[in-house]
Amino acid sequence: MAQRSGNYTAFYVAEPFNLSSLGAHATKDFCYYNTLRMWKGQDASFPFTDSHAITYSVRDDSDWETTLKPRLRERLRASKNIVLILSSATRNSRALREEVDYGINNQGLPVIVIYPEYDSKESLLNNGLLKQSVKGLWDGLPVFRDSMNLVPTLHVPMAKGLITQAFKDTDLMLATKCAPGCFLYPANLS
């Protein structure tokens, strides 16, 4: 098996793909992905290894079956986990379904779910459990909701410190993953 060192970031991009000069860059979830890239650019010690940089870029108007889908799978096979950006803007697109389905159900990749509309652990929770509004986001991506019990899944807000911790957590890496389950960091971690 090849070295799996990347973090595969899955995020919603509107379909059909926008051929304007902005393309994916105008999509809200793509902007959150760019935040991870920005943090890495500003701080080389930020433990994010972008799997999308592993293979050459594809154009938004590339063919799905011959170019896009094989490229997504190649990047997933080089990854140690999936970083799923899940927001109220996320939609059940063909690409996002493929990424999550192949990543979890074929590759067994652990998932770090980042909720960009929440900024602290406490904002995700109600009486120590994930809020219904957080769980409701899973319904917008049924393949994730129905498959997440097969792999370790960590739920974190858009907080750099917690995301850093998640990227370093060996329980969330393919080669050393823990048993499947839905996890939150304890209250004493920030």
Short mmCIF file of all heavy atoms in Angstrom, two decimals, residues 63-118:
data_model
loop_
_atom_site.label_atom_id
_atom_site.label_comp_id
_atom_site.label_asym_id
_atom_site.label_seq_id
_atom_site.Cartn_x
_atom_site.Cartn_y
_atom_site.Cartn_z
N ASP A 63 -14.56 15.90 -17.80
CA ASP A 63 -15.54 14.83 -17.84
C ASP A 63 -15.57 14.09 -16.51
O ASP A 63 -14.52 13.75 -15.95
CB ASP A 63 -15.20 13.85 -18.98
CG ASP A 63 -16.22 12.75 -19.08
OD1 ASP A 63 -17.35 13.01 -19.53
OD2 ASP A 63 -15.88 11.61 -18.65
N TRP A 64 -16.78 13.81 -16.00
CA TRP A 64 -16.95 13.16 -14.71
C TRP A 64 -16.34 11.76 -14.70
O TRP A 64 -15.51 11.44 -13.84
CB TRP A 64 -18.44 13.11 -14.33
CG TRP A 64 -18.69 12.25 -13.12
CD1 TRP A 64 -19.27 11.02 -13.09
CD2 TRP A 64 -18.32 12.55 -11.77
NE1 TRP A 64 -19.30 10.54 -11.81
CE2 TRP A 64 -18.72 11.47 -10.97
CE3 TRP A 64 -17.69 13.63 -11.15
CZ2 TRP A 64 -18.53 11.41 -9.60
CZ3 TRP A 64 -17.50 13.59 -9.78
CH2 TRP A 64 -17.90 12.49 -9.02
N GLU A 65 -16.73 10.89 -15.62
CA GLU A 65 -16.31 9.49 -15.59
C GLU A 65 -14.84 9.28 -15.95
O GLU A 65 -14.18 8.43 -15.37
CB GLU A 65 -17.19 8.63 -16.51
CG GLU A 65 -18.59 8.41 -15.97
CD GLU A 65 -18.65 7.63 -14.66
OE1 GLU A 65 -17.81 6.74 -14.43
OE2 GLU A 65 -19.56 7.92 -13.85
N THR A 66 -14.33 10.04 -16.91
CA THR A 66 -12.96 9.77 -17.36
C THR A 66 -11.89 10.58 -16.63
O THR A 66 -10.73 10.18 -16.62
CB THR A 66 -12.83 10.04 -18.88
OG1 THR A 66 -13.13 11.42 -19.13
CG2 THR A 66 -13.73 9.13 -19.68
N THR A 67 -12.27 11.69 -16.01
CA THR A 67 -11.26 12.53 -15.36
C THR A 67 -11.55 12.80 -13.89
O THR A 67 -10.74 12.48 -13.02
CB THR A 67 -11.11 13.87 -16.10
OG1 THR A 67 -10.81 13.62 -17.47
CG2 THR A 67 -10.00 14.72 -15.50
N LEU A 68 -12.70 13.40 -13.59
CA LEU A 68 -12.98 13.83 -12.22
C LEU A 68 -13.08 12.67 -11.23
O LEU A 68 -12.39 12.66 -10.20
CB LEU A 68 -14.25 14.68 -12.18
CG LEU A 68 -14.16 16.04 -12.86
CD1 LEU A 68 -15.53 16.71 -12.90
CD2 LEU A 68 -13.16 16.93 -12.16
N LYS A 69 -13.93 11.70 -11.51
CA LYS A 69 -14.13 10.59 -10.59
C LYS A 69 -12.84 9.80 -10.35
O LYS A 69 -12.48 9.54 -9.19
CB LYS A 69 -15.25 9.68 -11.12
CG LYS A 69 -15.64 8.55 -10.20
CD LYS A 69 -16.82 7.82 -10.82
CE LYS A 69 -17.19 6.57 -10.09
NZ LYS A 69 -18.33 5.89 -10.74
N PRO A 70 -12.09 9.43 -11.39
CA PRO A 70 -10.81 8.73 -11.15
C PRO A 70 -9.82 9.57 -10.33
O PRO A 70 -9.09 9.04 -9.49
CB PRO A 70 -10.27 8.45 -12.55
CG PRO A 70 -11.46 8.49 -13.44
CD PRO A 70 -12.40 9.48 -12.83
N ARG A 71 -9.81 10.87 -10.56
CA ARG A 71 -8.88 11.74 -9.82
C ARG A 71 -9.25 11.81 -8.35
O ARG A 71 -8.39 11.78 -7.47
CB ARG A 71 -8.89 13.13 -10.45
CG ARG A 71 -7.77 14.02 -10.05
CD ARG A 71 -6.38 13.55 -10.48
NE ARG A 71 -6.33 12.75 -11.68
CZ ARG A 71 -6.39 13.20 -12.94
NH1 ARG A 71 -6.50 14.46 -13.21
NH2 ARG A 71 -6.35 12.36 -13.96
N LEU A 72 -10.56 11.91 -8.04
CA LEU A 72 -11.02 11.91 -6.66
C LEU A 72 -10.60 10.61 -5.96
O LEU A 72 -10.08 10.64 -4.84
CB LEU A 72 -12.55 12.04 -6.58
CG LEU A 72 -13.19 13.31 -7.11
CD1 LEU A 72 -14.71 13.21 -7.05
CD2 LEU A 72 -12.70 14.53 -6.37
N ARG A 73 -10.81 9.51 -6.62
CA ARG A 73 -10.46 8.21 -6.03
C ARG A 73 -8.96 8.07 -5.82
O ARG A 73 -8.52 7.52 -4.80
CB ARG A 73 -11.00 7.07 -6.90
CG ARG A 73 -12.50 6.96 -6.81
CD ARG A 73 -13.04 5.83 -7.62
NE ARG A 73 -14.45 5.63 -7.34
CZ ARG A 73 -15.12 4.53 -7.65
NH1 ARG A 73 -14.51 3.54 -8.26
NH2 ARG A 73 -16.39 4.43 -7.34
N GLU A 74 -8.17 8.54 -6.76
CA GLU A 74 -6.71 8.50 -6.62
C GLU A 74 -6.28 9.30 -5.38
O GLU A 74 -5.44 8.85 -4.60
CB GLU A 74 -6.06 9.07 -7.88
CG GLU A 74 -4.56 9.10 -7.84
CD GLU A 74 -3.96 9.73 -9.10
OE1 GLU A 74 -4.71 10.09 -10.04
OE2 GLU A 74 -2.73 9.86 -9.13
N ARG A 75 -6.86 10.45 -5.20
CA ARG A 75 -6.52 11.29 -4.04
C ARG A 75 -6.97 10.63 -2.74
O ARG A 75 -6.26 10.68 -1.74
CB ARG A 75 -7.16 12.67 -4.19
CG ARG A 75 -6.55 13.48 -5.31
CD ARG A 75 -7.34 14.76 -5.57
NE ARG A 75 -6.74 15.51 -6.66
CZ ARG A 75 -7.29 16.57 -7.21
NH1 ARG A 75 -8.45 17.02 -6.78
NH2 ARG A 75 -6.68 17.20 -8.19
N LEU A 76 -8.14 10.02 -2.74
CA LEU A 76 -8.62 9.32 -1.54
C LEU A 76 -7.72 8.14 -1.19
O LEU A 76 -7.45 7.88 -0.01
CB LEU A 76 -10.07 8.87 -1.74
CG LEU A 76 -11.11 9.98 -1.59
CD1 LEU A 76 -12.41 9.61 -2.30
CD2 LEU A 76 -11.35 10.29 -0.13
N ARG A 77 -7.22 7.43 -2.19
CA ARG A 77 -6.33 6.29 -1.93
C ARG A 77 -4.97 6.73 -1.38
O ARG A 77 -4.23 5.91 -0.84
CB ARG A 77 -6.14 5.46 -3.20
CG ARG A 77 -7.37 4.64 -3.58
CD ARG A 77 -7.08 3.65 -4.69
NE ARG A 77 -6.61 4.28 -5.90
CZ ARG A 77 -7.38 4.70 -6.91
NH1 ARG A 77 -8.70 4.56 -6.84
NH2 ARG A 77 -6.86 5.24 -7.99
N ALA A 78 -4.65 7.99 -1.50
CA ALA A 78 -3.39 8.53 -0.96
C ALA A 78 -3.60 9.23 0.38
O ALA A 78 -2.68 9.85 0.90
CB ALA A 78 -2.78 9.50 -1.97
N SER A 79 -4.80 9.10 0.94
CA SER A 79 -5.16 9.86 2.15
C SER A 79 -5.27 8.97 3.37
O SER A 79 -5.62 7.79 3.27
CB SER A 79 -6.48 10.59 1.93
OG SER A 79 -6.37 11.49 0.84
N LYS A 80 -5.01 9.57 4.52
CA LYS A 80 -5.13 8.86 5.79
C LYS A 80 -6.49 9.11 6.45
O LYS A 80 -6.88 8.39 7.36
CB LYS A 80 -4.01 9.26 6.74
CG LYS A 80 -3.97 10.74 7.09
CD LYS A 80 -2.76 11.08 7.90
CE LYS A 80 -2.63 12.60 8.06
NZ LYS A 80 -1.37 12.94 8.72
N ASN A 81 -7.21 10.14 6.00
CA ASN A 81 -8.53 10.45 6.54
C ASN A 81 -9.26 11.40 5.59
O ASN A 81 -8.70 11.88 4.63
CB ASN A 81 -8.44 11.03 7.95
CG ASN A 81 -7.53 12.24 8.07
OD1 ASN A 81 -7.41 13.04 7.15
ND2 ASN A 81 -6.87 12.37 9.21
N ILE A 82 -10.53 11.60 5.93
CA ILE A 82 -11.36 12.56 5.21
C ILE A 82 -11.64 13.72 6.16
O ILE A 82 -11.98 13.49 7.33
CB ILE A 82 -12.70 11.96 4.77
CG1 ILE A 82 -12.50 10.83 3.76
CG2 ILE A 82 -13.63 13.03 4.18
CD1 ILE A 82 -13.77 10.06 3.44
N VAL A 83 -11.52 14.92 5.67
CA VAL A 83 -11.93 16.12 6.40
C VAL A 83 -13.19 16.60 5.67
O VAL A 83 -13.11 17.07 4.54
CB VAL A 83 -10.83 17.19 6.38
CG1 VAL A 83 -11.31 18.45 7.10
CG2 VAL A 83 -9.54 16.66 6.97
N LEU A 84 -14.33 16.41 6.31
CA LEU A 84 -15.61 16.77 5.69
C LEU A 84 -16.06 18.11 6.22
O LEU A 84 -16.26 18.28 7.41
CB LEU A 84 -16.66 15.70 6.00
CG LEU A 84 -18.09 15.99 5.54
CD1 LEU A 84 -18.16 16.17 4.02
CD2 LEU A 84 -19.03 14.89 6.01
N ILE A 85 -16.20 19.08 5.33
CA ILE A 85 -16.73 20.38 5.70
C ILE A 85 -18.24 20.31 5.50
O ILE A 85 -18.72 20.10 4.39
CB ILE A 85 -16.08 21.50 4.88
CG1 ILE A 85 -14.58 21.55 5.20
CG2 ILE A 85 -16.78 22.83 5.14
CD1 ILE A 85 -13.78 22.51 4.38
N LEU A 86 -18.96 20.47 6.62
CA LEU A 86 -20.42 20.30 6.59
C LEU A 86 -21.08 21.56 7.15
O LEU A 86 -20.93 21.89 8.32
CB LEU A 86 -20.79 19.07 7.42
CG LEU A 86 -22.17 18.48 7.23
CD1 LEU A 86 -22.46 18.16 5.76
CD2 LEU A 86 -22.31 17.22 8.07
N SER A 87 -21.79 22.25 6.28
CA SER A 87 -22.43 23.51 6.65
C SER A 87 -23.87 23.53 6.13
O SER A 87 -24.28 22.62 5.42
CB SER A 87 -21.65 24.70 6.08
OG SER A 87 -21.90 24.81 4.68
N SER A 88 -24.58 24.59 6.45
CA SER A 88 -25.94 24.73 5.93
C SER A 88 -25.95 24.94 4.42
O SER A 88 -26.96 24.76 3.77
CB SER A 88 -26.67 25.88 6.63
OG SER A 88 -25.98 27.09 6.41
N ALA A 89 -24.80 25.28 3.84
CA ALA A 89 -24.69 25.46 2.39
C ALA A 89 -24.37 24.15 1.67
O ALA A 89 -24.46 24.07 0.45
CB ALA A 89 -23.60 26.49 2.07
N THR A 90 -23.99 23.11 2.40
CA THR A 90 -23.62 21.83 1.81
C THR A 90 -24.84 21.18 1.16
O THR A 90 -25.91 21.13 1.75
CB THR A 90 -23.03 20.89 2.88
OG1 THR A 90 -21.95 21.53 3.53
CG2 THR A 90 -22.56 19.58 2.26
N ARG A 91 -24.65 20.70 -0.06
CA ARG A 91 -25.71 19.99 -0.78
C ARG A 91 -25.21 18.61 -1.18
O ARG A 91 -24.02 18.36 -1.30
CB ARG A 91 -26.12 20.77 -2.04
CG ARG A 91 -26.69 22.15 -1.76
CD ARG A 91 -28.03 22.07 -1.03
NE ARG A 91 -28.54 23.37 -0.67
CZ ARG A 91 -28.41 23.93 0.54
NH1 ARG A 91 -27.77 23.31 1.50
NH2 ARG A 91 -28.92 25.12 0.79
N ASN A 92 -26.14 17.72 -1.45
CA ASN A 92 -25.87 16.33 -1.77
C ASN A 92 -25.48 16.19 -3.24
O ASN A 92 -26.21 15.62 -4.03
CB ASN A 92 -27.12 15.50 -1.43
CG ASN A 92 -26.87 14.02 -1.50
OD1 ASN A 92 -25.76 13.56 -1.33
ND2 ASN A 92 -27.93 13.28 -1.76
N SER A 93 -24.32 16.71 -3.59
CA SER A 93 -23.88 16.68 -4.99
C SER A 93 -23.29 15.32 -5.36
O SER A 93 -22.89 14.54 -4.50
CB SER A 93 -22.83 17.77 -5.22
OG SER A 93 -21.64 17.45 -4.53
N ARG A 94 -23.21 15.08 -6.64
CA ARG A 94 -22.64 13.83 -7.14
C ARG A 94 -21.20 13.65 -6.66
O ARG A 94 -20.81 12.58 -6.20
CB ARG A 94 -22.69 13.82 -8.67
CG ARG A 94 -21.99 12.63 -9.29
CD ARG A 94 -22.18 12.56 -10.79
NE ARG A 94 -21.80 13.79 -11.46
CZ ARG A 94 -21.79 13.95 -12.77
NH1 ARG A 94 -22.17 12.96 -13.56
NH2 ARG A 94 -21.44 15.09 -13.31
N ALA A 95 -20.39 14.69 -6.75
CA ALA A 95 -18.99 14.60 -6.34
C ALA A 95 -18.86 14.35 -4.85
O ALA A 95 -18.08 13.49 -4.42
CB ALA A 95 -18.24 15.87 -6.73
N LEU A 96 -19.61 15.06 -4.03
CA LEU A 96 -19.52 14.89 -2.58
C LEU A 96 -20.00 13.49 -2.18
O LEU A 96 -19.38 12.83 -1.33
CB LEU A 96 -20.32 15.98 -1.87
CG LEU A 96 -20.11 16.12 -0.37
CD1 LEU A 96 -18.63 16.26 -0.01
CD2 LEU A 96 -20.90 17.32 0.15
N ARG A 97 -21.07 13.01 -2.80
CA ARG A 97 -21.54 11.63 -2.52
C ARG A 97 -20.45 10.63 -2.87
O ARG A 97 -20.19 9.69 -2.12
CB ARG A 97 -22.80 11.31 -3.34
CG ARG A 97 -24.07 11.85 -2.76
CD ARG A 97 -25.30 11.25 -3.44
NE ARG A 97 -25.28 11.28 -4.89
CZ ARG A 97 -25.69 12.30 -5.64
NH1 ARG A 97 -26.13 13.40 -5.07
NH2 ARG A 97 -25.65 12.22 -6.95
N GLU A 98 -19.82 10.80 -4.02
CA GLU A 98 -18.75 9.89 -4.45
C GLU A 98 -17.58 9.92 -3.48
O GLU A 98 -17.06 8.87 -3.10
CB GLU A 98 -18.28 10.26 -5.86
CG GLU A 98 -17.08 9.47 -6.35
CD GLU A 98 -17.33 7.98 -6.55
OE1 GLU A 98 -18.50 7.57 -6.74
OE2 GLU A 98 -16.37 7.19 -6.50
N GLU A 99 -17.16 11.10 -3.07
CA GLU A 99 -16.02 11.22 -2.16
C GLU A 99 -16.31 10.51 -0.83
O GLU A 99 -15.49 9.72 -0.35
CB GLU A 99 -15.72 12.70 -1.87
CG GLU A 99 -15.18 13.44 -3.06
CD GLU A 99 -15.20 14.95 -2.88
OE1 GLU A 99 -16.14 15.49 -2.26
OE2 GLU A 99 -14.26 15.59 -3.37
N VAL A 100 -17.46 10.78 -0.25
CA VAL A 100 -17.80 10.20 1.04
C VAL A 100 -18.04 8.70 0.92
O VAL A 100 -17.54 7.90 1.73
CB VAL A 100 -19.01 10.93 1.66
CG1 VAL A 100 -19.51 10.21 2.90
CG2 VAL A 100 -18.64 12.38 1.99
N ASP A 101 -18.79 8.28 -0.10
CA ASP A 101 -19.08 6.86 -0.28
C ASP A 101 -17.80 6.06 -0.51
O ASP A 101 -17.55 5.06 0.17
CB ASP A 101 -20.05 6.68 -1.46
CG ASP A 101 -20.46 5.23 -1.65
OD1 ASP A 101 -20.70 4.52 -0.64
OD2 ASP A 101 -20.56 4.79 -2.81
N TYR A 102 -16.98 6.48 -1.44
CA TYR A 102 -15.74 5.75 -1.74
C TYR A 102 -14.77 5.82 -0.55
O TYR A 102 -14.15 4.82 -0.19
CB TYR A 102 -15.08 6.31 -3.00
CG TYR A 102 -13.89 5.52 -3.47
CD1 TYR A 102 -14.06 4.31 -4.14
CD2 TYR A 102 -12.59 5.97 -3.24
CE1 TYR A 102 -12.96 3.57 -4.56
CE2 TYR A 102 -11.49 5.24 -3.66
CZ TYR A 102 -11.69 4.04 -4.32
OH TYR A 102 -10.60 3.31 -4.73
N GLY A 103 -14.66 6.98 0.05
CA GLY A 103 -13.73 7.15 1.17
C GLY A 103 -14.08 6.30 2.37
O GLY A 103 -13.20 5.68 2.98
N ILE A 104 -15.35 6.26 2.75
CA ILE A 104 -15.77 5.48 3.92
C ILE A 104 -16.00 4.02 3.55
O ILE A 104 -15.43 3.12 4.15
CB ILE A 104 -17.05 6.08 4.56
CG1 ILE A 104 -16.76 7.44 5.16
CG2 ILE A 104 -17.60 5.12 5.62
CD1 ILE A 104 -18.00 8.16 5.71
N ASN A 105 -16.86 3.76 2.57
CA ASN A 105 -17.33 2.40 2.29
C ASN A 105 -16.34 1.55 1.52
O ASN A 105 -16.42 0.32 1.59
CB ASN A 105 -18.68 2.46 1.58
CG ASN A 105 -19.75 3.05 2.47
OD1 ASN A 105 -19.93 2.63 3.60
ND2 ASN A 105 -20.44 4.07 1.99
N ASN A 106 -15.41 2.15 0.80
CA ASN A 106 -14.40 1.39 0.07
C ASN A 106 -13.05 1.46 0.75
O ASN A 106 -12.38 0.44 0.90
CB ASN A 106 -14.32 1.89 -1.38
CG ASN A 106 -13.36 1.07 -2.21
OD1 ASN A 106 -12.15 1.22 -2.08
ND2 ASN A 106 -13.90 0.20 -3.06
N GLN A 107 -12.64 2.64 1.17
CA GLN A 107 -11.31 2.82 1.74
C GLN A 107 -11.27 2.76 3.27
O GLN A 107 -10.21 2.63 3.85
CB GLN A 107 -10.72 4.16 1.27
CG GLN A 107 -10.52 4.25 -0.23
CD GLN A 107 -9.48 3.24 -0.71
OE1 GLN A 107 -8.32 3.33 -0.31
NE2 GLN A 107 -9.89 2.31 -1.55
N GLY A 108 -12.41 2.88 3.93
CA GLY A 108 -12.45 2.81 5.39
C GLY A 108 -11.77 3.98 6.10
O GLY A 108 -11.26 3.84 7.20
N LEU A 109 -11.79 5.15 5.45
CA LEU A 109 -11.11 6.31 6.01
C LEU A 109 -11.88 6.92 7.18
O LEU A 109 -13.08 7.16 7.07
CB LEU A 109 -10.92 7.38 4.93
CG LEU A 109 -9.99 7.02 3.77
CD1 LEU A 109 -10.06 8.09 2.69
CD2 LEU A 109 -8.57 6.82 4.26
N PRO A 110 -11.18 7.20 8.29
CA PRO A 110 -11.82 7.95 9.38
C PRO A 110 -12.20 9.34 8.88
O PRO A 110 -11.61 9.85 7.93
CB PRO A 110 -10.71 8.06 10.43
CG PRO A 110 -9.70 7.03 10.07
CD PRO A 110 -9.81 6.84 8.59
N VAL A 111 -13.18 9.96 9.55
CA VAL A 111 -13.69 11.26 9.11
C VAL A 111 -13.59 12.28 10.24
O VAL A 111 -14.02 12.01 11.37
CB VAL A 111 -15.16 11.15 8.64
CG1 VAL A 111 -15.67 12.50 8.15
CG2 VAL A 111 -15.31 10.10 7.55
N ILE A 112 -13.02 13.42 9.92
CA ILE A 112 -13.02 14.59 10.80
C ILE A 112 -14.04 15.54 10.19
O ILE A 112 -13.83 16.05 9.09
CB ILE A 112 -11.63 15.24 10.87
CG1 ILE A 112 -10.59 14.26 11.41
CG2 ILE A 112 -11.68 16.52 11.72
CD1 ILE A 112 -9.15 14.68 11.18
N VAL A 113 -15.15 15.75 10.89
CA VAL A 113 -16.20 16.62 10.38
C VAL A 113 -16.01 18.01 10.99
O VAL A 113 -15.99 18.15 12.21
CB VAL A 113 -17.61 16.11 10.72
CG1 VAL A 113 -18.67 16.96 10.01
CG2 VAL A 113 -17.76 14.65 10.36
N ILE A 114 -15.83 19.00 10.13
CA ILE A 114 -15.70 20.39 10.58
C ILE A 114 -17.00 21.11 10.27
O ILE A 114 -17.49 21.09 9.14
CB ILE A 114 -14.52 21.09 9.87
CG1 ILE A 114 -13.20 20.41 10.21
CG2 ILE A 114 -14.48 22.58 10.25
CD1 ILE A 114 -12.01 20.97 9.45
N TYR A 115 -17.55 21.73 11.31
CA TYR A 115 -18.78 22.50 11.19
C TYR A 115 -18.42 23.98 11.23
O TYR A 115 -18.25 24.55 12.31
CB TYR A 115 -19.74 22.15 12.33
CG TYR A 115 -20.15 20.69 12.33
CD1 TYR A 115 -19.45 19.75 13.10
CD2 TYR A 115 -21.22 20.25 11.57
CE1 TYR A 115 -19.82 18.42 13.09
CE2 TYR A 115 -21.59 18.92 11.55
CZ TYR A 115 -20.88 18.00 12.32
OH TYR A 115 -21.25 16.68 12.31
N PRO A 116 -18.27 24.63 10.08
CA PRO A 116 -17.79 26.02 10.04
C PRO A 116 -18.74 27.04 10.65
O PRO A 116 -18.31 28.15 10.98
CB PRO A 116 -17.56 26.28 8.56
CG PRO A 116 -18.35 25.26 7.85
CD PRO A 116 -18.48 24.08 8.75
N GLU A 117 -19.99 26.70 10.83
CA GLU A 117 -20.94 27.65 11.41
C GLU A 117 -20.98 27.57 12.94
O GLU A 117 -21.77 28.25 13.58
CB GLU A 117 -22.32 27.42 10.80
CG GLU A 117 -22.30 27.76 9.32
CD GLU A 117 -23.40 27.09 8.51
OE1 GLU A 117 -23.86 26.00 8.88
OE2 GLU A 117 -23.77 27.68 7.49
N TYR A 118 -20.10 26.76 13.49
CA TYR A 118 -19.97 26.64 14.94
C TYR A 118 -18.52 26.96 15.29
O TYR A 118 -17.60 26.53 14.60
CB TYR A 118 -20.33 25.22 15.39
CG TYR A 118 -21.79 24.88 15.12
CD1 TYR A 118 -22.19 24.37 13.89
CD2 TYR A 118 -22.76 25.08 16.10
CE1 TYR A 118 -23.52 24.08 13.63
CE2 TYR A 118 -24.10 24.78 15.85
CZ TYR A 118 -24.47 24.29 14.62
OH TYR A 118 -25.79 24.01 14.37
#
